[in-house]
Every structure is written in C-alpha cells, then in structure tokens.
Amino acid sequence: MAAEKTPKKREFVSVNKTSTKTTTSAETEKTPKSRATVLRIIAVVLWLVAIGFEALVIFYLNGTLYLPGDQMVWLIIGIGLDLACVVIGSLLWKRSNRIDPASKKNKVKFFLWNNMGVIAAVIAFLPLLILLIKNKNLDEKTKKIVTVVAAIALVAAVGLSIDYNPTSAEDLEAAQAELGDGTTYWTRWGRSFHLDPDCRTLLNSSVIFQGPIEEAFEANRNDPCDFCADGFSAVYQSEDEVEDVIEDIGEEVFGDEDIETSDY
C-alpha cells in the first residue's frame, strides 16, 4: 500500500498597508491616494534625471562636454544610467496606478495615463538614437556599438514601461463592493487572487500572501482565480477593452467616421 503524500507546509504572510489601525497621525495620513502621489512624484523626478543623462550624453557626443578617457565607455555608461532611471521611474508609476488607479470612463486618457512610462522612455532615448545614427564624427566601430546599445536600451525601456495589465478605478471599486473586508490570497509568482486559502492551485505554494482586495490589486493580482473565485463578478481589463481603447484613439485622431465592413 502506497504511503500517503505529506501535505506541503505553507506559510501565510499578512499584507495590510491599508489598515486603519495606525498609531500615529503621520501614519493615518498615508492614504492610498497619498502613497500613490509620492510614488508618482518620485517617478517623474527619475524621468527628468533620465532626460538629464540623455542631455549629458548628447553634449559629450557633440563635444560640448569634455571627459577624459574612452569615448565609447562614457557613452555606454550614460545610456545605462539613462535606462536605469527610466525603468525605475516606470515601475514606480505602474505601482502607483495599482494603488490609486485611473478611471476608464475616458478610455484614451486611461490608456495614456497607464503608459506614461512609454512616453518618458521615447523622450529619453529616441533623440539620442537619431543623433547617433546621423553622427559623422565617431569612428565606425564606436558608432555601431553605441547605436546598437542605445537601440536595445530604447526597446528595453519601452517594454518594461508598458502596463500590460492595467487596473481601473471601476475595477477596484467593484471588487471592494463585492468583497468588502474579506481576505484574498495570492502567491509570489501567480497572476490571480484567490478567495479560498485551500484552493487547489495554492496547495503547492510554500508562501502565500493574504490581505484585503486593495493589497491584491497593488500586487498586480487583479485576475480572479478560475477555481475558487469563479463567481466573482468584478470587471477587470480584458483584451476587448484594449481594442476599444485603440478604436477610440483612432476616432479622435482620424474623426468619427464609421468604417463599414462588407460581408462576402
């Protein structure tokens, strides 16, 4: 007779930054909106610093700024610092949008607000990349290497700045109305939140985080589990909604003409 498998030991970690049980007046002021505002300010400052690094690289490139040493090394260092500031700023911006999400009533504004990091990335790299391509003073080897590095940095910055799973204020409000003060559960790598701590998809996880729905959303776990939260009716961003956003942008740019399709 086969021995029964020993259940995996699980650790539940409580996460509740939104708790009202605070001890000082300073802590009580840390509302989700104020926390999000602080993160957004830091993100904008980092983006401005990134643009500053881009400007320094451009000044060094055209000879306005002089630095002794290997030119290619200095250019790559500048691009690396630019990239680090853009990416960190974008990650903070995306986190702030999960704490205090924007409304999707205006879909174009919602789309742009959730992808401000992409705009910052383009501003922080595209002008530099164009100047590198047009530059005729760099030696051929340095120009090729630095241009490739700048192009890779632009792609990486844009890719890491896109919010692939944006949350809206309506999504969060619907979830709060349905769950109230109920506890949700999620894992370090999973993309969903759970309502049952003994959900079969959680049984193999050694560490499980638990907290109110606001914390699950902040952790970017805004997709209800298909098993234990199958009846959850809160709306969350879907591919169809993303298509609607793109259509709305097209209408604002090209006009409100209806595009008819013919059936064959």
Side-chain angles (χ1 to χ4, degrees):
M1 185 175 179
E4 293 183 5
K5 183 184 286 188
T6 304
K8 190 170 187 176
K9 185 178 179 181
R10 299 185 296 165
E11 177 187 0
F12 286 84
V13 179
S14 294
V15 180
N16 193 354
K17 301 188 194 77
T18 59
S19 173
T20 58
K21 296 179 180 179
T22 52
T23 57
T24 67
S25 58
E27 289 176 335
T28 57
E29 293 176 1
K30 291 182 180 179
T31 62
K33 190 173 187 66
S34 65
R35 288 171 52 216
T37 299
V38 170
L39 291 176
R40 286 176 179 135
I41 291 172
I42 296 173
V44 171
V45 170
L46 285 170
W47 288 336
L48 292 174
V49 172
I51 294 172
F53 279 125
E54 178 191 32
L56 289 175
V57 172
I58 291 173
F59 290 148
Y60 181 64
L61 193 62
N62 62 23
T64 303
L65 173 66
Y66 170 75
L67 292 173
D70 193 313
Q71 189 177 33
M72 181 168 65
V73 171
W74 281 118
L75 290 171
I76 291 175
I77 289 175
I79 292 171
L81 293 172
D82 188 355
L83 177 62
C85 290
V86 169
V87 171
I88 295 173
S90 295
L91 294 177
L92 292 176
W93 185 270
K94 288 194 287 185
R95 184 179 176 187
S96 72
N97 287 340
R98 293 195 292 269
I99 298 173
D100 179 36
S103 171
K104 61 183 177 186
K105 290 179 181 178
N106 185 329
K107 293 183 178 180
V108 175
K109 181 180 178 181
F110 176 75
F111 181 82
L112 293 175
W113 183 259
N114 281 288
N115 290 284
M116 287 294 290
V118 176
I119 298 173
V122 172
I123 294 173
F125 283 103
L126 189 57
L128 172 60
L129 185 59
I130 293 172
L131 289 175
L132 282 169
I133 293 172
K134 292 184 175 182
N135 187 281
K136 296 179 180 179
N137 297 323
L138 290 173
D139 64 86
E140 196 66 24
K141 179 182 177 182
T142 300
K143 181 177 179 178
K144 284 183 179 179
I145 293 175
V146 175
T147 301
V148 169
V149 170
I152 292 173
L154 172 60
V155 172
V158 170
L160 292 171
S161 298
I162 295 173
D163 195 337
Y164 297 96
N165 185 31
T167 298
S168 72
E170 290 79 6
D171 296 339
L172 181 56
E173 288 169 5
Q176 290 171 327
E178 183 155 344
L179 294 179
D181 295 328
T183 302
T184 57
Y185 308 87
W186 64 94
T187 61
R188 197 180 303 279
W189 296 104
R191 305 309 301 168
S192 302
F193 68 83
H194 306 263
L195 302 181
D196 181 4
D198 295 318
C199 176
R200 64 184 186 180
T201 60
L202 295 176
L203 295 179
N204 291 323
S205 299
S206 57
V207 177
I208 299 172
F209 299 93
Q210 61 182 16
I213 188 63
E214 295 87 352
E215 299 301 337
F217 271 58
E218 181 176 343
N220 202 22
R221 277 28 177 203
N222 59 352
D223 177 28
C225 172
D226 293 334
F227 299 102
C228 65
D230 188 39
F232 188 76
S233 61
V235 182
Y236 56 91
Q237 188 79 2
S238 64
E239 292 181 1
D240 292 338
E241 288 177 315
V242 174
E243 291 177 0
D244 290 342
V245 171
I246 296 172
E247 288 179 7
D248 287 349
I249 293 175
E251 288 177 1
E252 291 203 4
V253 174
F254 301 108
D256 296 331
E257 295 180 1
D258 292 331
I259 300 174
E260 296 181 0
T261 55
S262 301
D263 296 329
Y264 293 93

